[in-house]
Structures are given as structure tokens and as C-alpha cells.
Amino acid sequence: MRFGHFDDDRREYVIDRPDTPHPWINYLGTGEFIGIISNTAAGYTFYRDARLRRLTRYRYNNVPTDEDGRFLYLRDDADGSYWSPTWRPARRPLEEYRCRHGLGYTSIASLHAGIQARITTLVPVGKTMEVWSVEVTNRRHEAAELSLFSAVEFCLWNAFDDATNFQRNLNIGEVRVSNDTIIHCTEFRERRNHVASFSCSERLAGFETQRDAFLGPYRGWSRPLAVERGTTSDAIATGGYPIAAQHVRWTLEPGETKRVYFALGYHELDKNAASGQGGRSVPDPEPIEAAVSPLLTSAGFDEALRELRAYWDRMLGTLHAATGDDDVDRMINIWNPYQCAVTYTVSRSASRYESGIGRGIGFRDANQDLLGAVHMLPQHARSRILDLASTQLISGGAYHQYQPLTKQGNDAIGSGFNDDPLWLIHATCAYLKETGDWAVLDEAAPYGDDAAGRETLYEHLLRAANYTLDRRGPHGLPLIGRADWNDCLNLNSHSSDPDEPFQTVPIEDGAIAESVLIAGLFCIAARDLADVALRRNDRAAAHRLAEADRAMRDAIRSHGWDGGWFLRAYDAAGMPVGSSTNGEGRIFIEPQGICTMAAIGLDDGRARRALDAVGEQLATEHGLLLLQPAYAGYRTNLGEISSYPPGYKENGSVFCHTNPWIVIAECLLGRGDRAWDYALRINPSHREAISEVHECEPYVYAQMIAGRDASDHGKARNSWLTGTASWAYVAMTQWILGVRPTFDGLVVDPCIPADLKTFSVVRSFRDARYEIHVSNPDGVCRGIRSIHVDGTPLTGDRLPMFGDGETHVVDVRMGRAA
Ligand code: GLC
Ligand code: GLC
């Protein structure tokens, strides 16, 4: 069952009813100001950091769900009836409803009692504000006396404090009203230099700044007293729950349309610009009004929408593919890169499932998120890599996350994940392959625990590799530390106290527990880094890395192979995990993908056997399971992984992030039919028809889909912010379609289903545009018979680097070599 449909021409997902199985969300903002918006306009906004600079309040565990956010009410002043044109929060039935989630904007249209409304919300490119355009049309045969009420509820900046420290924060709220702009200035009197504003393009009939005055005692947002009465009190709030609510009153003739604009802004002000010791304690409204007012006009808003479309045209124009399969094409061309960009921007911090409090920018996450975004945002990726390197530790290790506002690493969500540092090598190499910007390696960056000890990025990378080499266990495999990519494989925690969070409990690392995943990851990183070292003429490092790579491969072959597939780990007692000797958790997906990607077992048939085992034991119609059989009960030697009910999360769900690894691995084996099939199983558009089962948005990947052991197999959770986005994009574009950046340029080496006869990819790369047409007359999965570039035959599969800003036509004929 579907709840909407794709409109590919407009690059929108169109939702036909407000009561989707879950709120289906979108993201507004391309830079520092971010808004989350659901299909009923709920959600919240923040500036750069969802924890430290939260503008509006959102209650995750609220009932009804998704109540908070952008509040709008239309009131028929003739009879006092009122409704919300976005359905929520009043939830009165709408005769028509349609939500269009587009790229960086959302538009909700509805009809109630002959009054039509359309609300379009966006964050203009380069601005720190969210703007709403509200269009109201009278479709009745007689004039309508209408009131429009808008409201936002402010968060008292620090979202954690806001949700916990009520004895203080119920006494600190402050607002100012200047002309019709409501300014939220809590704590501006002391150490803050920033405020939020809410403005309206119309002259107000009234306003409200205190939540309880607007709602009335013991009422919720569905029945505000002010709306019921049709009047506000125009009072200035101190303490309590500061809000900004505005009242506009009109008479609309039959057929008449009014357009009104609202803007929610974030402003940093110069506090010393005026009087008083320690500077101003009251914000100056002038710069605020100057920043906001140009956007409160049709010309300003329409221009902002045009700029936003142009922004996404540029972003998505970097790569365009046509395979003839709608599910694949719309993911490659629209939704997957869009999700990659969003995930890259906010990491795992803020979604319907991430509260914006727990995590900032994750080290391993951000490095992987970069893989799917670097071709669109190369400049930004460069600075992100340097930010990440700056939180690296002198040991070569890494803070597991840093706070986006301060860029300082913190251990609040744990530390000692021994895979972390290697991802920096992975991301940097992806950046180098995309851009050829070798100079980045000479940029100096400090260390998170030694700000003075600046070294070049290249040296940071060498330390990252050494971190693994310095920490090897009894089998010569990398020690796992707290956990590896699988946060929940806590082999050194041995926790039996329910009050200890798995991710922060002190670990007892006896230097026994080893990870085969990190071993494979190391081999991928070491080969790339050795290549980099050679190009820098650092032969000694290249040699060391090549030796280390060889030793690690030997260790994997001798101790990381279980007989039918790659082993997952050794626990703290030296017992195998992910082995046929285990009753539960006999096979894990991660090492099958990662070791094959490291080219281990490609020459001796092990990779093929490992992937066959994945196909036999882990493949379901909803995707590939993380492990089988799921753990039925809790095991102290394994930790959080066994804490989840069977089939959920790391305990045997389809943990989607890992699926593209297998897709890539299948491509390395040349099995294009399987690669494509696996990619489709988790493709959200492909799953749209079973939205009642999947439940999450059909336009973006989710972190997990409940596994075979769960009663609701197929149900997705944790949509939007997942490494799946990047990896799915990399797998599809670089490995299946095979247009792959390398250090020396773009390679074309597809691995496709045998019955895919033609496809094309247009790719901008290092200042040239490649129009690649692939034909597959012999019906092969992989293999190239000939390539012509601008009509001239090419030897090898690497396209020339033109760098001339021109378009070049590449004809690729697949088939068995002549
Ligand atoms: C989550 C985390 C990521 C981790 C994965 C597996 O997606 O953000 O860092 O690798 O779970 O545990
Ligand atoms: C990852 C995992 C999750 C775990 C969390 C701990 O996100 O997906 O299961 O609880 O890490 O931080």
C-alpha cells in the first residue's frame, strides 16, 4: 500500500494523506540553519548544533506524536470554527490534503470549508532563517472573515538543559517585541550574543509570547484558547514558556488569494554596540529586521525558492544516470544524493530518531558520509576532513564524536572504538580520488589532545594506520577496543549492571578480543595509503605499509577464516565470534563484505564461498541480515548486540549500512545479477508499494529493517541519518554502473545484470564532463570489449583527464574481450 507517489519531474515525493504510518520528514537548509519538517509541518530548527543552538522545541515522546513545530490555525471569524491547514495540531478533517517534500523545501496544500491554503517552507541558501509562505484562497461564493494564527515555541537554546533543568529554565525566558517582530532573547542579558526572531509580513491584529496565555491552562496545541476566542493578549513574557504567536485578520472576497510570509531567524548580534557594563542586555531589533524583511515579500520568497532549486540543480548535476529502472534512476539522480548531502551535513545528530542531544558529528560516521557527498561538495569535504583530523588523538586514535558548534571532540558517547581512525584514511583517499587535490595532505592540523602538536594531514593518516598496528592481539589481528564499526559488539565490557550504558562503561581490555572487520578495513586503508606514500616519494612509509598489509592478510587467511566464511571476531576469552562453532551468531555480514572489498580471497575462492554463504544464510526478501541466528538472550561477553530482541538493530536486523558492502563485493566477483538484486531489496523506492509494512519514508534509506527473527519482519526504523545513504550511492554509481574515481582518473568498469542492455551516466569530474554510453549486446555482467572517447579507441578502462571544462563522449561496449 502506498501513501503517496514520486513526482520525478519536480523531484518531489507527494504524500496524499496526513496520517502516514510515521511522520515522514524532510530537511530544510543547506548550511548552518537546519529545519526538520514532517508531512504536517511539525519538527524543529537549530543553528549548526542541534544540542547547543536549538531554536524551537520538540518533544520526542509526546502523544499525539509529532505535535510540536510550525503551528498554523485558520479561523472562520463568522462562526468561530478553526482548523490547521497542515492538519496538525488541530487535526480537523481536511477535504483535500497534499504534502510535497522537495529538495530543501516542503509544501502542504489543503482545503477546508471552502478555504484553500498552501504553505511552503524553506531555508534560503546562505541565510540563517526559515521562511514560510502561506497562501490562502477563498473558494466560497461569499466573502470570508478569517483569522490566521501562527505560532512557534522556543527552545531555551541548550536542548538538553531545556528538557531537564526546569527549576532554572522556567524562570529565564525573555522576549521583546519590536514592531511586529517577536524576538526570543533568553540569556542574552548574560553570556549569549544571539537571539531568535519570528516575523510576519502583515500588520498584526495581535500577538502572544507566553505559551500558557496562548493555549490556556490544561490545554494543548490542538485547542488553543486564543484561537478559540479569536483574540490575543499582546503581553510580553518573562519566564515560563516563551513562544511567538501572531494573529492576522482578513476579509477575503470570493476567489481572492492572500499571501503572507513568516520568518523564523537566528541572529548573532554585536553586544558591545551600545551601553552598559558588559555590553547590551537587550537586543537591538534593527539588524534583525533588516536581515529578515527582504524575505517577507513575494519577490524575496520566490527568488529564495529559485536559488534553492538552482543549488540542488548544481549539486545533483554532478552525476546523472539513466538505466531505465525508475526505482534505480530516481534514487541515483534525486533522493540518494539528497540524503547523502543531508546526512553529511547533520551526521547522526538530529532526525525523528536522533534527539539532537546525544551525538554531534561522529568520527567514523562523518568519514563515511563523505563518500557519498564529496563529488557534490568537494570544498566542504576538504574542510570537514581537516576538522576530523583536528579531533584525532596523538596516539592516532580518535574522539568518537565532536560537537559541531565547537568542533571539540568529546567522550560523552564513548571512546576507544578501534576502527575509528582508519575511516579518516578512507575518506581522505576518496577525496583525493575525486579531486586530485594532493595539497590537502600538506595542510597542518592539531590533535584533539595536543593543540600545539600540529602535523600535516599526511602524518595524521600515518598515525591512524599505526594505531591499528600498535594494537594487535594474539592472532596478529587488530584489537577491537570498546567495539568496531558495530558499536554493539562490546567484547570488553562484560556489563551486567543495567544502569551502565554499554557505550561508556569502563572497558577491561585484556588485549585479547580481536576484530576481523578492522583487519579487512586496515588492508583497504593500507593499500590506498601506501599508494599515496609512493606518490609523495615516501618510499619508507610505502614499504612499511605494504609489509603491514601483507602481514594482516596472512593473519586474516590463517585466523580470520572459519572454513565457509570470514570469522567476525575473537572475544575477550579468545573464543571465536561468527563461527560455525557458535550456536547463535554463526555468521556475520560485515567481514564478508569488508574482507572481499579488501580483495582477500578473490584469488582462492574464499570470497565466493563467503558471499554464497551470505546468499544462503542472510538473504531475505527485505534485505541481507546482519547475522544469523540472532541471539536469543543477553550475553555478557558480547554486550549490547545481544541486548536487542532478535531481529532488531545489530541483533540480526537488515542493518542496511552493510548491504552495499555485499553489493560491492558481488561486483568484485563479477556477479552483477546478484549485486543489482541485493541493491533493490533495500531500495526505498522499490519498497514503496509495501509502505504499510516498511512504515518509513519511501524516498530515503533507513538504518534498519526488522529481520527474519522479528514478528514485524520488513518494518523499517531510523530513517534518514544512516551510513547506508553513502554506501548505497557508492555501490550503485561506482561499482554497479562502474563509473569510479581513482587516484589517476575516472575508470569505467560496470557490473550489471546480464539483461541490462544499455545505460548511460553523465559525470562531472575534475573539470570535465563525461557523457558515458554503455551497451551490453552480449548480455554479460562484467567485462569490456571496447571504449571510445570522442570517437577514438581507448586502451585500458581509465578515461583521459581533460580538465578543459568541455563535454566528452565515451562509448563503452561491454562483452567478452575480443
Ligand atoms: C550506527 C552508528 C554507526 C555504527 C552503526 C553500527 O549507524 O551511527 O557509527 O557504525 O550504527 O553499530
Ligand atoms: C549505534 C547502534 C545502536 C547503539 C548505538 C550506541 O548507533 O546502531 O544500536 O545503541 O550505536 O551509541
Side-chain angles (χ1 to χ4, degrees):
M1 175 185 176
R2 291 180 166 83
F3 296 84
H5 65 273
F6 287 92
D7 183 341
D8 293 334
D9 291 339
R10 297 173 55 137
R11 299 192 299 208
E12 291 172 338
Y13 191 79
V14 186
I15 302 170
D16 298 328
R17 48 192 285 183
D19 55 341
T20 43
H22 273 270
W24 283 0
I25 68 165
N26 193 13
Y27 283 80
L28 311 173
T30 52
E32 302 191 309
F33 189 106
I34 304 288
I36 293 175
I37 184 166
S38 72
N39 55 311
T40 65
Y44 60 94
T45 47
F46 59 93
Y47 170 76
R48 277 181 62 188
D49 193 310
R51 174 175 178 142
L52 300 177
R53 291 289 181 279
R54 185 82 64 102
L55 270 76
T56 49
R57 196 175 266 157
Y58 190 83
R59 297 165 191 80
Y60 275 83
N61 281 335
N62 217 5
V63 281
T65 189
D66 203 37
E67 186 82 337
D68 312 308
R70 302 157 186 85
F71 305 103
L72 283 171
Y73 307 85
L74 278 164
R75 180 178 191 274
D76 190 331
D77 288 336
D79 63 8
S81 64
Y82 62 92
W83 68 98
S84 292
T86 62
W87 187 57
R88 180 211 53 80
R91 273 176 276 115
R92 305 274 191 282
L94 298 170
E95 290 133 43
E96 287 173 15
Y97 161 92
R98 186 153 270 195
C99 167
R100 292 179 169 268
H101 281 319
L103 307 183
Y105 66 90
T106 286
S107 189
I108 301 174
S110 65
L111 178 73
H112 178 93
I115 304 298
Q116 206 171 43
R118 186 167 61 208
I119 296 95
T120 304
T121 308
L122 57 81
V123 173
V125 178
K127 300 271 192 286
T128 59
M129 69 185 80
E130 177 182 296
V131 191
W132 316 350
S133 147
V134 180
E135 261 180 83
V136 181
T137 304
N138 179 9
R139 294 269 172 238
R140 298 176 184 169
H141 297 298
E142 64 281 357
E145 304 285 324
L146 295 177
S147 279
L148 173 67
F149 290 87
S150 66
V152 293
E153 181 178 358
F154 293 112
C155 178
L156 303 168
W157 302 118
N158 180 319
F160 178 74
D161 190 80
D162 185 78
T164 48
N165 191 9
F166 303 105
Q167 60 77 30
R168 169 177 160 85
N169 64 34
L170 291 183
N171 301 290
I172 63 175
E174 285 193 279
V175 296
R176 299 271 147 183
V177 178
S178 165
N179 297 320
D180 285 337
T181 294
I182 298 172
I183 301 170
H184 175 228
C185 49
T186 297
E187 291 187 342
F188 188 81
R189 66 171 54 254
E190 36 125 335
R191 292 158 299 170
R192 294 189 185 277
N193 69 340
H194 53 87
V195 299
S197 66
F198 194 58
S199 326
C200 174
S201 60
E202 293 279 299
R203 270 242 69 82
L204 299 185
F207 63 84
E208 206 69 85
T209 60
Q210 183 60 269
R211 191 184 76 195
D212 287 352
F214 185 71
L215 298 183
Y218 296 98
R219 284 168 173 249
W221 289 102
S222 62
R223 284 189 323 125
L225 193 60
V227 178
E228 205 168 286
R229 287 186 180 145
T231 55
T232 51
S233 74
D234 302 357
I236 307 292
T238 308
Y241 304 96
I243 64 165
Q246 293 155 333
H247 179 197
V248 174
R249 208 180 263 142
W250 300 305
T251 303
L252 256 69
E253 297 304 326
E256 188 185 354
T257 298
K258 292 266 191 199
R259 236 177 131 180
V260 48
Y261 301 90
F262 297 93
L264 171 69
Y266 171 86
H267 315 268
E268 289 181 356
L269 303 175
D270 178 4
K271 284 187 92 167
N272 295 317
S275 59
Q277 263 193 326
R280 265 177 184 280
S281 61
V282 177
D284 176 5
E286 243 173 64
I288 299 173
E289 286 162 20
V292 169
S293 51
L295 272 305
L296 296 178
T297 61
S298 358
F301 184 87
D302 294 348
E303 179 57 21
L305 186 57
R306 261 194 303 277
E307 278 175 20
L308 190 62
R309 289 191 201 277
Y311 173 88
W312 284 108
D313 283 345
R314 270 196 311 281
M315 293 277 283
L316 303 188
T318 317
L319 190 159
H320 189 276
T323 70
D325 181 315
D326 285 347
D327 293 325
V328 169
D329 289 354
R330 69 166 64 101
M331 287 312 292
I332 297 182
N333 295 327
I334 306 171
W335 295 100
N336 194 355
Y338 180 56
Q339 183 181 8
C340 286
V342 168
T343 308
Y344 170 81
T345 304
V346 298
S347 192
R348 300 298 178 278
S349 68
S351 71
R352 273 282 301 164
Y353 308 87
E354 299 285 4
S355 68
I357 291 173
R359 302 164 180 224
I361 308 277
F363 193 89
R364 81 155 81 85
D365 293 340
N367 278 306
Q368 290 172 84
D369 295 341
L370 188 141
L371 306 176
V374 60
H375 65 298
M376 299 183 279
L377 293 161
Q379 278 305 321
H380 198 286
R382 187 183 211 267
S383 53
R384 173 65 64 78
I385 286 170
L386 295 170
D387 285 349
L388 286 160
S390 310
T391 66
Q392 208 187 345
L393 305 172
I394 196 88
S395 65
Y399 278 110
H400 197 47
Q401 72 134 8
Y402 70 87
Q403 215 48 46
L405 190 75
T406 60
K407 298 192 178 172
Q408 298 299 309
N410 71 47
D411 282 336
I413 62 160
S415 59
F417 299 85
N418 280 353
D419 65 311
D420 267 337
L422 292 172
W423 294 109
L424 183 64
I425 301 176
H426 213 78
T428 306
C429 290
Y431 171 77
L432 291 171
K433 289 172 186 173
E434 179 66 36
T435 62
D437 169 21
W438 293 90
V440 74
L441 294 168
D442 294 313
E443 295 284 348
Y447 288 91
D449 54 350
D450 182 5
R454 297 170 74 83
E455 287 186 334
T456 64
L457 175 60
Y458 177 63
E459 283 160 322
H460 278 258
L461 300 184
L462 293 177
R463 282 185 192 262
N466 283 337
Y467 181 89
T468 304
L469 295 175
D470 292 347
R471 287 166 185 73
R472 280 177 288 176
H475 301 95
L477 295 165
L479 294 172
I480 196 168
R482 176 176 299 282
D484 58 23
W485 170 87
N486 190 328
D487 274 334
C488 300
L489 195 60
N490 311 127
L491 302 183
N492 291 308
S493 296
H494 312 289
S495 179
S496 53
D497 175 353
D499 298 323
E500 286 173 343
F502 289 104
Q503 307 301 319
T504 49
V505 57
I507 58 171
E508 305 150 31
D509 194 346
I512 303 281
E514 298 169 297
S515 161
V516 177
L517 184 154
I518 301 181
L521 207 57
F522 177 84
C523 295
I524 299 174
R527 284 199 166 175
D528 267 350
L529 193 53
D531 211 344
V532 168
L534 271 186
R535 282 155 209 265
R536 293 176 61 90
N537 256 322
D538 186 352
R539 294 186 174 280
H543 180 73
R544 265 199 322 276
L545 285 161
E547 281 303 307
D549 174 51
R550 202 163 305 132
M552 195 65 82
R553 280 165 202 274
D554 285 346
I556 295 174
R557 271 191 287 265
S558 320
H559 305 291
W561 177 253
D562 189 58
W565 52 83
F566 293 100
L567 203 67
R568 179 62 176 85
Y570 289 95
D571 72 11
M575 299 305 288
V577 179
S579 154
S580 59
T581 59
N582 300 130
E584 294 169 346
R586 285 158 53 89
I587 176 170
F588 280 61
I589 198 169
E590 307 100 309
Q592 323 313 328
I594 293 287
C595 290
T596 305
M597 284 160 70
I600 297 160
L602 282 181
D603 50 355
D604 62 8
R606 293 192 198 190
R608 176 179 300 270
R609 286 166 69 195
L611 296 189
D612 286 346
V614 168
E616 284 151 22
Q617 302 185 47
L618 301 178
T620 76
E621 60 177 310
H622 298 293
L624 310 174
L625 303 170
L626 190 145
L627 61 82
Q628 276 292 288
Y631 296 103
Y634 178 61
R635 298 175 177 231
T636 44
N637 65 322
L638 301 178
E640 187 170 357
I641 190 168
S642 58
S643 74
Y644 288 110
Y648 272 72
K649 295 277 282 179
E650 280 84 344
N651 190 15
S653 77
V654 175
F655 206 94
C656 297
H657 189 136
T658 61
N659 281 220
W661 294 346
I662 301 297
V663 171
I664 295 170
E666 289 289 358
C667 288
L668 285 161
L669 290 185
R671 304 201 292 197
D673 289 300
R674 284 206 188 203
W676 184 273
D677 169 22
Y678 288 163
L680 270 187
R681 293 188 201 198
I682 62 162
N683 175 313
S685 165
H686 192 65
R687 297 174 61 75
E688 185 200 17
I690 53 161
S691 287
E692 81 287 6
V693 176
H694 186 77
E695 294 190 0
C696 283
E697 297 90 335
Y699 40 91
V700 289
Y701 290 94
Q703 181 200 56
M704 80 130 206
I705 298 172
R708 191 156 59 199
D709 305 274
S711 58
D712 39 14
H713 186 29
K715 175 184 83 178
R717 281 295 178 271
N718 301 358
S719 55
W720 272 102
L721 304 185
T722 160
T724 314
S726 261
W727 280 108
Y729 189 76
V730 167
M732 212 13 133
T733 58
Q734 299 189 16
W735 295 93
I736 291 183
L737 302 186
V739 179
R740 185 161 67 245
T742 69
F743 290 129
D744 302 310
L746 213 50
V747 154
V748 184
D749 176 22
C751 181
I752 55 174
D755 62 6
L756 183 61
K757 291 298 180 219
T758 61
F759 71 89
S760 63
V761 175
V762 182
R763 175 70 151 93
S764 295
F765 180 78
R766 302 201 201 171
D767 201 25
R769 203 155 168 82
Y770 298 83
E771 220 180 85
I772 304 165
H773 303 279
V774 180
S775 65
N776 181 23
D778 303 344
V780 298
C781 287
R782 191 173 174 195
I784 287 184
R785 194 190 266 272
S786 67
I787 299 184
H788 287 77
V789 180
D790 295 329
T792 311
L794 180 81
T795 25
D797 57 5
R798 184 158 299 130
L799 305 181
M801 275 191 280
F802 294 101
D804 56 3
E806 300 289 322
T807 297
H808 299 275
V809 177
V810 182
D811 280 303
V812 180
R813 210 179 140 96
M814 293 177 68
R816 281 168 264 283

